[in-house]
Amino acid sequence: MNLTEDQRYFLSILRETGFIRLDQVLPLLRINEPQKEIIHAGALLRRLRYMGLLARSGDGCICLPDLLRDRPDSEILLSLDVLLALRPERLLQVSARQPYKLCFLLQRSDGWIDYFAVMPVQPGHEGRISQLLQAEQKNYVFLLPLENMEQHRQITLSRSHFFVLRQGERLRFYKGGEAGKQPRQ
């Protein structure tokens, strides 16, 4: 099957996540090609559906055809939101690696590459998450979506990490020891 670079890039993300919300499609395409428009995203989706490589689920997502009967993982979709909120210059790699919901390599405009791991933290699991991440061998920057601000007090981690909180429609990032402070505007 002859796929374009855009199609291969998009399918590589979809294979790792299983589902992508429709509102995430264009921002994902714009990471590597900022000039992309909604018409390009629509054409890409139509072509991949025609080729039988993706399906539209009933909950506002697209998915791999064999996952059509499954429900999307809300934590993976949140992890994609976290990735997009970082506004990366270039996305080099995406993977869904246990115990993390999503790992990705981002390239900055200065050429520096950062390796991120997203792990949503459910209330009551802060201590377990702290131990798990402290033992990690790789040099990840951990992105920890929290359900409420108070959770940060129960996470002790001497590795590079950011807490992520949803505030309205936006995601806010707080550097490890700065979670109790007001965000910079």
Side-chain angles (χ1 to χ4, degrees):
M1 198 171 297
N2 211 6
L3 297 174
T4 67
E5 187 174 329
D6 276 354
Q7 292 167 341
R8 283 191 304 272
Y9 161 76
F10 188 76
L11 284 174
S12 72
I13 297 170
L14 188 59
R15 284 185 190 110
E16 292 297 327
T17 62
F19 288 82
I20 295 174
R21 279 194 331 265
L22 287 172
D23 66 330
Q24 294 170 325
V25 172
L26 182 58
L28 284 168
L29 292 175
R30 283 184 171 165
I31 291 173
N32 292 337
E33 293 189 49
Q35 74 278 9
K36 290 287 185 191
E37 299 292 334
I38 192 72
I39 193 167
H40 300 116
L44 178 127
L45 294 179
R46 279 191 304 279
R47 178 78 174 136
L48 291 175
R49 279 183 70 195
Y50 175 75
M51 296 167 76
L53 298 174
L54 67 82
R56 206 170 193 170
S57 69
D59 46 16
C61 292
I62 54 158
C63 64
L64 298 171
D66 56 332
L67 298 177
L68 195 53
R69 296 185 191 275
D70 295 348
R71 302 216 30 91
D73 182 331
S74 61
E75 290 184 341
I76 288 183
L77 295 175
L78 171 61
S79 298
L80 280 171
D81 287 337
V82 169
L83 162 66
L84 292 170
L86 292 174
R87 302 197 192 303
E89 293 290 323
R90 185 144 192 234
L91 177 60
L92 301 176
Q93 179 184 353
V94 173
S95 61
R97 236 179 246 162
Q98 291 297 331
Y100 311 106
K101 282 299 177 171
L102 201 63
C103 296
F104 45 89
L105 281 171
L106 298 182
Q107 185 174 3
R108 298 184 207 166
S109 57
D110 62 3
W112 190 261
I113 296 175
D114 293 307
Y115 201 23
F116 293 93
V118 181
M119 179 173 275
V121 181
Q122 300 296 323
H125 295 269
E126 296 85 357
R128 183 181 64 81
I129 296 294
S130 296
Q131 290 174 344
L132 180 69
L133 298 182
Q134 198 63 36
E136 176 61 61
Q137 298 297 313
K138 289 192 178 176
N139 196 20
Y140 291 113
V141 174
F142 296 113
L143 301 169
L144 307 170
L146 306 176
E147 289 190 19
N148 62 67
M149 178 63 91
E150 292 307 309
Q151 286 180 273
H152 87 278
R153 296 179 198 279
Q154 299 167 11
I155 296 174
T156 54
L157 191 59
S158 62
R159 312 271 305 269
S160 181
H161 65 287
F162 291 84
F163 298 115
V164 184
L165 284 162
R166 186 172 295 280
Q167 295 178 337
E169 293 295 312
R170 296 183 62 190
L171 293 176
R172 295 271 192 193
F173 293 79
Y174 299 89
K175 184 148 177 69
E178 301 174 359
K181 300 175 183 174
Q182 289 295 329
R184 286 182 237 141
Q185 298 296 332

